[in-house]
Amino acid sequence: MDRNMALLLWGTLVLQVPARALLEGDTVTLRCRCSWHSPITEIRFYNEKKGLQSFEGTELTLSPLQLHHSGCYHCRAKVVIGFSQWWKESAPVTVTVHELFPVPVLEGPTEPTEGSPLNLSCLSTPSHLRPQAPLLHLFYRDGVLVGGPQGSSHLWLPAVGVSHSGNYTCEVRSELGAVRKSSSQLCVTVLMPVANATITPGPPSPQAWAAVATEVGGSLLFLLLVLGAIVGWHWWHHTATRKTQDRAPPDPPVPVEKGEVLYTHVMVTEQVAGPPWDSSSTTSPWDPQVTYAELLGPNMRLQEPNKIYETMT
């Protein structure tokens, strides 16, 4: 039992990692070895318990380092102890890869005037773990290189024209180019001076259509209200006029002038008996007799027969 324990301790595997800060773009080598320098065979490396590829040697080189290389590593191998071979596994070792510099941000005016200067800044600071790391800056317009590679993080154009309009991006690289990161696009539109400006109408935006619809709807509603008010006023005026006419007193009768006679109730009678007929008379014995009644009363109104003031026969 003691002999077996001694053999186990004698054949311990160790995964060695450099004791320094690891950054993007670096090269690192992991070494799997056995204590007391015992020979090992069939070495295998693992990252987060996922097998990498088998190597004949005892080293695993990662170059250039990237952020996804971070993780927990260990190795497994056969340790030769005397005339026996034992499968051994090392303790896990954490590997951390730090960012050399962040993703750059491109800043600058988006609507410069024609003839004015343009200054674009590509902002990205090296890691505090390696603040003196040399970085190169490149500037692109619509995918075409227009500035760099250069150490300066600024693109300076003394006077811009319409041809300088476009989508600008910048790229930051490590000195050897192992690490490259690009910014988001910055749309730059060079404006013409006001005196020479030419306005070209474009398709209206959904917000513009919504504003127009609101204005038209409000105008139609106002017109409907005005039309309703006019129709209502005419209807009220017509109704009021008819009521006034219905309530008005009848026209007074036309007064009778002096000397005029109002005849009513004309009565025709036949003569029953009388004196002998005279042939020289112009009246026939059978001519009817006519009685005229003059009915004049107060206020020139038609009177009843019992109120006749004067009767003519």
Side-chain angles (χ1 to χ4, degrees), residues 130-153:
R130 200 170 296 171
Q132 301 301 323
L135 301 178
L136 298 177
H137 303 81
L138 300 90
F139 294 86
Y140 298 87
R141 181 179 66 244
D142 297 328
V144 179
L145 182 66
V146 293
Q150 60 190 35
S152 173
S153 60

Side-chain angles (χ1 to χ4, degrees), residues 145-277:
L145 182 66
V146 293
Q150 60 190 35
S152 173
S153 60
H154 298 275
L155 174 65
W156 171 259
L157 300 177
V160 295
V162 178
S163 61
H164 291 101
S165 298
N167 294 318
Y168 285 78
T169 59
C170 73
E171 180 184 78
V172 178
R173 298 178 182 176
S174 60
E175 186 177 22
L176 299 179
V179 184
R180 303 183 181 192
K181 297 180 182 181
S182 298
S183 69
S184 300
Q185 288 186 349
L186 178 67
C187 182
V188 176
T189 302
V190 179
L191 303 179
M192 299 288 291
V194 177
N196 299 327
T198 301
I199 301 177
T200 302
S205 63
Q207 292 81 2
W209 280 118
V212 171
T214 302
E215 292 293 334
V216 173
S219 300
L220 291 178
L221 179 60
F222 176 76
L223 291 176
L224 291 176
L225 291 175
V226 172
L227 182 60
I230 294 175
V231 173
W233 183 86
H234 278 284
W235 178 84
W236 174 85
H237 181 71
H238 180 70
T239 304
T241 303
R242 291 190 59 184
K243 289 183 178 181
T244 303
Q245 292 176 352
D246 294 341
R247 294 177 181 177
D251 295 335
V254 180
V256 180
E257 296 182 1
K258 187 176 180 179
E260 288 185 340
V261 178
L262 178 63
Y263 294 97
T264 61
H265 298 284
V266 178
M267 182 180 298
V268 180
T269 59
E270 293 182 359
Q271 185 175 0
V272 178
W277 174 70

